[in-house]
Structure formats: structure tokens, C-alpha cells
Amino acid sequence: MDITLALLKPHVVRNVYAFQQIKQIIHQNFTVLHSKEVHITKQLSEHFYAEHKGKFFYNRLVTFMGSGPCHAFILQSKDSIAKWRELMGPTKVYKAVYSHPDCIRGLYGLSDTRNACHGSDSEESVAREISIIFPELDKNRLSAVDS
Ligand code: GDP
């Protein structure tokens, strides 16, 4: 069993129906170890998305992430990173709608920036992103759950 970080972006947290539907998908597929509403300040968002600094969409992305509360989850399952990314679908919403219409981004994404959700893409990203979004958690206890 391993863990991943999932983040629901502001427009889906604001949309009661979308939020409920995505939570249902999460609970059907994972054990939720931790879950909380999180207000991602611009500063936090810049740190979280540092690898994209300088790209044309960076300012739009970090501003959008601070436009309202997000909801963060630490999810556990076998192959949790790949599983959550598959449930999210492609980054680009036009592609998601066309090729994976039933994925979360295909159903609830509005644009490439407002593509409904985030998921860590590697074990290193999981550790880094959990320490940013859940700084209050003890890393050693999380890896104990992970084993
Ligand atoms: P992810 O791991 O699938 O979320 O994709 P990335 O790590 O490549 O990108 C992080 C976030 O940046 C994505 O979820 C999108 O919201 C945003 N993003 C990536 N590529 C683009 C793009 O070409 N245009 C816009 N507007 N946003 C993008």
C-alpha cells in the first residue's frame, strides 16, 4: 500500500454536486488517511508549483489556486499515485473530454488551469507536496502507514 496527495481545485470545492461526486469516487477507490480544506495563499501556491515558474500559465495557475478554498486528501491504496492520476485523466481538459470523457477532469474540468484536481506524479512529489500542504503531519508516522 502506498500514498498520494490529491487536491481538489477551488471551482470544484465551490460546486456542491461536483465535490460530492468526486469525494464518492475517492472513497470508492482509496482509504482516506487525512482530509482537510486548505486555503492556498499565492505564496504557498508559488512554492507548490515552483517547477512551472516561468511558463506562460504559471501566474494564471497560482492566482487561480488562491481564488477560494481547495480540499486536500492523503489517499492510500495499491499503486495510489498511478490510480489517482488515471481517475483524474489528462491534464488538458479538451483532451480529457475527447479521449477520457468519464474521468474527473473530463467531467468537471473547465479549462487547462481549472482542470478540477491535482495529483502527485512520483513518490518524491508525494513527500514534497504533503510537507507543503500538511506541514502539521509527522513524516515518520506517514511512512509507518505507508509500509
Ligand atoms: P498535472 O500533474 O496533470 O496537474 O500537470 P502538470 O504538473 O504538468 O501541470 C500542473 C498544472 O498546471 C495543471 O494541472 C494545469 O492546471 C496547469 N497547466 C499545465 N499545462 C498547462 C497549459 O498548457 N495551459 C494552462 N492554462 N495550464 C496548464
Side-chain angles (χ1 to χ4, degrees):
M1 290 294 202
D2 52 74
I3 60 174
T4 194
L5 178 94
L7 201 53
L8 303 188
K9 296 189 177 184
H11 68 291
V12 291
V13 173
R14 265 197 302 270
N15 176 332
V16 176
Y17 176 76
F19 191 26
Q20 286 303 332
Q21 293 296 111
I22 299 171
K23 277 196 287 192
Q24 196 174 324
I25 293 171
I26 287 175
H27 286 286
Q28 282 165 350
N29 285 279
F30 303 93
T31 301
V32 177
L33 299 183
H34 296 278
S35 156
K36 70 174 183 184
E37 183 171 287
V38 55
H39 294 257
I40 301 195
T41 60
K42 194 158 185 224
Q43 193 186 14
L44 196 66
S45 182
E46 284 173 352
H47 182 35
F48 190 81
Y49 282 117
E51 69 177 291
H52 296 297
K53 193 170 169 60
K55 294 185 183 165
F56 73 93
F57 58 82
Y58 176 74
N59 279 332
R60 214 179 297 170
L61 179 63
V62 296
T63 302
F64 168 61
M65 293 301 282
S67 67
C70 291
H71 204 98
F73 300 85
I74 299 179
L75 305 178
Q76 185 182 40
S77 76
K78 185 171 185 302
D79 299 327
S80 59
I81 297 173
K83 192 170 168 181
W84 174 242
R85 288 189 68 85
E86 191 178 331
L87 287 166
M88 290 196 304
T91 307
K92 310 257 187 226
V93 166
Y94 74 87
K95 188 173 167 193
V97 168
Y98 181 73
S99 63
H100 301 69
D102 295 329
C103 70
I104 294 169
R105 284 168 163 170
L107 292 169
Y108 304 112
L110 300 176
S111 67
D112 292 344
T113 305
R114 295 176 294 163
N115 60 354
C117 43
H118 167 85
S120 309
D121 62 4
S122 65
E123 284 181 27
E124 294 69 37
S125 303
V126 172
R128 177 180 172 276
E129 293 172 1
I130 288 178
S131 72
I132 295 172
I133 303 293
F134 288 92
E136 69 279 15
L137 293 183
D138 177 346
K139 254 191 236 160
N140 298 323
R141 288 199 60 195
L142 273 175
S143 38
V145 172
D146 192 18
S147 61

